[in-house]
Amino acid sequence: MSDIIKKVLEFDPLGETEKLFGDKHWSEFSEDENKLSMELFFMHNKNKDKLLKESKDTHFSMDWDEFIGILTSNQFKLGYEYSFPYEDKMEKAVIYYNSDGLVIWATSYWNGKSVNGGTLYGEIKMHDVSDRPNIPSCSNGFYDLKNGKLNFSTDIREGLIWFISQMDKYGTFLNEWEDENKFLWFVDFVEDDVPGYDYEKLTRNKIHQCCDEAKNIMKRLI
């Protein structure tokens, strides 16, 4: 199942459509070619969501309660939570963590019913740095490899549990982070709409609000 998930997550429907039409760039597609490209895109996403849901992993169509259930069933614990008003609704922001030093920031939308977005952060000591090319790509995230230690982040909305299992193959998670310059973004979408906001200050304030176990993972950043 792990190999199937890898193939599905790495499949690029637009790229495959361009190959199908003789390596033509999508901007050159005819109306019929655009239609076929969109049909392939929607079909792929539907099948991908179905596979991830059956695997009890995160997927783009999940609601908030399903997401939290996936975290708690995989030994993540709540480190900090708060609610904030947005338009005429109340949304949620959470920090979850586990004993391996993995930390998740996430926010809701639609009055706390759906997942807006979020990021998984962590560090590992690699077993073999030559395995670096084999590590799965980060979705909207980054890697930073120093002295055999890998600082990483990735989008939580799709294939989160699969991603963690893949990372676990190539190194030992650091349950206390060692990178003192690690980039963290614990800022909700109301806060980042305020002119002149200080994301570092907002992030540090939220770390200080975490329970001691979660705070200990990130203590070099406060």
Side-chain angles (χ1 to χ4, degrees), residues 69-121:
I70 289 170
L71 295 187
T72 56
S73 65
N74 284 277
Q75 289 73 58
F76 278 90
K77 295 182 284 187
L78 180 64
Y80 176 53
E81 178 179 26
Y82 69 94
S83 298
F84 59 97
Y86 177 66
E87 296 181 343
D88 60 343
K89 302 175 178 65
M90 289 298 292
E91 302 301 348
K92 301 174 184 177
V94 295
I95 295 174
Y96 272 78
Y97 70 99
N98 70 8
S99 60
D100 285 326
L102 299 178
V103 175
I104 289 171
W105 161 261
T107 55
S108 72
Y109 75 96
W110 201 247
N111 209 27
K113 295 178 182 178
S114 300
V115 176
N116 175 64
T119 306
L120 166 74
Y121 297 96

Side-chain angles (χ1 to χ4, degrees), residues 8-9 44-53 158:
V8 169
L9 289 174
H44 170 66
N45 281 348
K46 181 179 180 180
N47 291 335
K48 179 171 56 175
D49 277 0
K50 183 175 183 291
L51 173 66
L52 290 170
K53 188 168 186 176
E158 190 174 63

Side-chain angles (χ1 to χ4, degrees), residues 25-69:
H25 189 265
W26 63 266
S27 62
E28 302 173 303
F29 285 180
S30 67
E31 184 177 343
D32 286 342
E33 288 168 341
N34 266 318
K35 183 178 179 181
L36 180 59
S37 178
M38 291 301 295
E39 287 176 352
L40 178 60
F41 174 80
F42 286 119
M43 181 176 66
H44 170 66
N45 281 348
K46 181 179 180 180
N47 291 335
K48 179 171 56 175
D49 277 0
K50 183 175 183 291
L51 173 66
L52 290 170
K53 188 168 186 176
E54 289 173 349
S55 301
K56 295 181 172 54
D57 208 337
T58 58
H59 56 95
F60 277 114
S61 59
M62 65 186 167
D63 61 31
W64 185 257
D65 289 342
E66 180 185 359
F67 170 60
I68 298 302

Side-chain angles (χ1 to χ4, degrees), residues 20-221:
L20 179 64
F21 297 135
D23 291 325
K24 182 189 295 186
H25 189 265
W26 63 266
S27 62
E28 302 173 303
F29 285 180
S30 67
E31 184 177 343
D32 286 342
E33 288 168 341
N34 266 318
K35 183 178 179 181
L36 180 59
S37 178
M38 291 301 295
E39 287 176 352
L40 178 60
F41 174 80
F42 286 119
M43 181 176 66
H44 170 66
N45 281 348
K46 181 179 180 180
N47 291 335
K48 179 171 56 175
D49 277 0
K50 183 175 183 291
L51 173 66
L52 290 170
K53 188 168 186 176
E54 289 173 349
S55 301
K56 295 181 172 54
D57 208 337
T58 58
H59 56 95
F60 277 114
S61 59
M62 65 186 167
D63 61 31
W64 185 257
D65 289 342
E66 180 185 359
F67 170 60
I68 298 302
I70 289 170
L71 295 187
T72 56
S73 65
N74 284 277
Q75 289 73 58
F76 278 90
K77 295 182 284 187
L78 180 64
Y80 176 53
E81 178 179 26
Y82 69 94
S83 298
F84 59 97
Y86 177 66
E87 296 181 343
D88 60 343
K89 302 175 178 65
M90 289 298 292
E91 302 301 348
K92 301 174 184 177
V94 295
I95 295 174
Y96 272 78
Y97 70 99
N98 70 8
S99 60
D100 285 326
L102 299 178
V103 175
I104 289 171
W105 161 261
T107 55
S108 72
Y109 75 96
W110 201 247
N111 209 27
K113 295 178 182 178
S114 300
V115 176
N116 175 64
T119 306
L120 166 74
Y121 297 96
E123 296 180 11
I124 63 169
K125 171 68 175 178
M126 295 193 67
H127 301 316
D128 185 342
V129 293
S130 67
D131 282 330
R132 169 64 184 84
N134 300 322
I135 290 177
S137 61
C138 283
S139 174
N140 297 327
F142 63 90
Y143 290 112
D144 183 20
L145 182 60
K146 295 178 181 177
N147 302 317
K149 295 170 185 174
L150 191 66
N151 167 12
F152 63 89
S153 73
T154 195
D155 194 306
I156 53 88
R157 292 173 296 175
E158 190 174 63
L160 172 67
I161 305 307
W162 174 85
F163 177 86
I164 293 171
S165 71
Q166 296 302 298
M167 295 297 288
D168 191 41
K169 293 179 180 179
Y170 298 106
T172 301
F173 291 114
L174 303 182
N175 55 23
E176 292 182 14
W177 294 346
E178 299 181 3
D179 188 347
E180 297 179 359
N181 297 310
K182 189 179 185 70
F183 175 80
L184 285 184
W185 180 272
F186 294 169
V187 181
D188 65 53
F189 51 83
V190 170
E191 292 173 326
D192 74 7
D193 201 35
V194 177
Y197 72 93
D198 185 338
Y199 85 87
E200 291 180 320
K201 182 178 180 180
L202 291 168
T203 295
R204 282 196 301 272
N205 286 343
K206 292 182 180 72
I207 295 174
H208 280 291
Q209 297 297 318
C210 285
C211 68
D212 288 343
E213 279 187 321
K215 197 184 302 180
N216 193 56
I217 296 170
M218 302 176 277
K219 63 185 179 182
R220 283 183 172 80
L221 302 177

